[in-house]
Amino acid sequence: ATGFAVTLFLLGLCGIFYLPQLILWTSDVLPDVRSNTEWLGILIPFSKPMIIPLVQSMFLFLIPTVIMGIGFPIALQAWADHVHKVGRSTGTAYAANTIGAVMGGIVTGFVLIPLLGLQLAVSSLGLVGVWIAAFLYMSFARSSTVVIRVGLFAVVAILTTVAVKMPSNLFDSVVESNPMVSRRLKLLTVREGATTTVSMYRNLEEGTLYLYTSGVRVAGDTYFWRGDQKMLGHFGILLNSGAKKVLSVGFGSGESTACMALHKLDRADCVEIAPEVVDVSLRYFPHINLGGRLNDEINMIYMDAKNYIHLTDIKYDAIVNDSIHPRMFADNASLYTKEYFESAKAHLTDKGLFMSWIPAHDVEPASVMNSIIGTIMDVFPEVTIWFMTTTPASYFFVVGSEQPQYFSPRYIDNELLKNGVRDSLSLIDINNSMDLLSCYIGDKEDLKKRIKSYRLNSDYYPFIEFSTETMPGGSSMFKDFVFDIRNDSIYKHIDWTGFSQEQKSEWLLDFKQLWKASTYLLLSHSANNSMEKLKLSMKGLAVLPGNPALHSLSERAAQALLSPQMQATRTADLEAALRMAEIVLTVYPRSPLAWVVKSNAAERMGDMQKALEAARMAVDFGPDDAQAHLQLASVLRSSGQFDEAIEECKTSVLLAEQSRKLNDYHRVEILSVLETTYTAAGRLEQAITTAEKALELASSAGQEELAEQIKKRLSSLKAAGNAQQQL
């Protein structure tokens, strides 16, 4: 009994100090493990995805599992000594152990952690173990003296004090030190649930938001993430001209469900296993989701998607599998199995479509992607594959169905006339049926040319979740995969209902030109650098001038090349900034951003004439570009032309308010420039009003640090205003 008390005491210690150990692991040990694994992997061939979890398990769980292994036979012996009947004592001990293991898992996972949080739950259980161990020792230790008893309770009291006095945000520190999270991200909140831990981060440089579940990024409000979210929300409906009932699997940021609601369906359902995801997203992403209208527009179902689809009696016109990466998120691989796909097929209407998100990240092994797509082809007689051509990103969409798939340009264009649908999709450069259908890559026959063999992924023979293959560099893999499959088979899938022969001929003529130009968009995704992407976008624009997607690509490539140079102008590396601006202008002479960088560098070098000329060129090529007008305002202010500078600032503020690609963080910065321009012009009253507006916007956007800076300036302005009135 005393031996069991000692093991129980040691287990309690493990519980009390588990979170400090976890912080040590995530912040100090894991980075070294990763770097040493990379180095060792060069010398000794082994699976890195398998080695790191093995080392992690040993570091965090080896000691407590060994103690538990020792504790059970000791407890068994103690009970046998007490009862003096081996069979009865053994059966009783095993029964108690089994019941305790089952109830412990249920109570801890579904009661203690949701109610108390991980830190308080683990610490409390650790303390309970320590106190029970102390009482057991006191009750059964025959040779315990008064000194030992007093000392034991002193140790227990000290441990209790340590647990109580321990900082209450240790688990937040674990989440914050996640090595997969950039140091540029600031942790805003952490929510613990029975199935996952949800955390929200803000990018301090850009003001953008990112949602993580169990340490994996799953959603955000950046241009990249919103393309994914919008495609999931719209495509299942647009590709099925009879879509009236739609199911979305996974909530994420909630933008996909907001997109579904725009189509005014008869029924829109969303199944999400973690209510915490919904709560956090509604709090931080109201600008892109339904906010308080969610339950009015969407039927939320909180349960495991696989079980829901298996158990429901409802049949859907479209099921959209908005699930997370199957190799990065525990248990998510079940949403990529043959059995899950079969359940989905059984719950589709006659012409229903099943759409699944398929990762194509640069580090994704081809065997994993082939397994997912091959398994879908094994279940669904008809399959097509799509890629977000207009806004290239690292994922495919595979669409499966029982019946042949036909897509109606007339229906798509009519849906785009609905209030909000066109505005939503135009953000990702889909403005009509041609733009949407240009995202088509191929059908089942095309896929068979590339995927000649694959490992079937099923519940009984899982593959993708446990694959430990070495991950190759993937841009070349993506290029080979796409261009092996992509051809003009799209034409046999078009439903021409509602088109006259003349309209059909005109549509086909325009689409063929777009299809050719879209090739450059696809090539850009496999490009090795931003300059190559910029050159490809220019080639595409030569084929189809004015194409919004190609224009957006050129702007993003220029942004990637010039953003570091914007920083360089602030750190006095002006020559480097000028050189890069000139290089970009040789390829893309109409780049507003390149002219802005050139103007900014010239302004800081004191060449105001050159700075003014470049700023005016930026405005000429980007009349709707808020940054171009802001740079012109800066040069005019530096030249003492305050009235013109203020007007340019006002134009920049107006354009920023209208832009859907600028967030509140950038709008606050523009307002701050207007405030300083008013101040330089001596118009303090207007400067104070502008600063107050900037403060309100920064506070509502959760920009605490920026808000504090504005408060200090506002105080100075008000003090100066009071002094001016007294004079």
Side-chain angles (χ1 to χ4, degrees), residues 147-176:
V147 174
I148 293 176
R149 291 169 181 268
V150 172
L152 180 59
F153 276 109
V155 170
V156 172
I158 291 170
L159 289 173
T160 303
T161 304
V162 169
V164 171
K165 294 293 184 181
M166 200 175 286
S168 60
N169 63 340
L170 286 182
F171 186 66
D172 288 8
S173 300
V174 173
V175 175
E176 195 166 16

Side-chain angles (χ1 to χ4, degrees), residues 238-259:
L238 294 174
L239 295 180
N240 185 349
S241 57
K244 298 296 181 185
K245 294 187 292 184
V246 177
L247 172 68
S248 175
V249 174
F251 187 78
S253 69
E255 184 166 20
S256 295
T257 54
C259 293

Side-chain angles (χ1 to χ4, degrees), residues 96-113 121 125:
N97 184 66
T98 302
I99 293 170
V102 173
M103 294 305 298
I106 293 172
V107 172
T108 302
F110 292 95
V111 179
L112 294 182
I113 291 178
L125 290 172

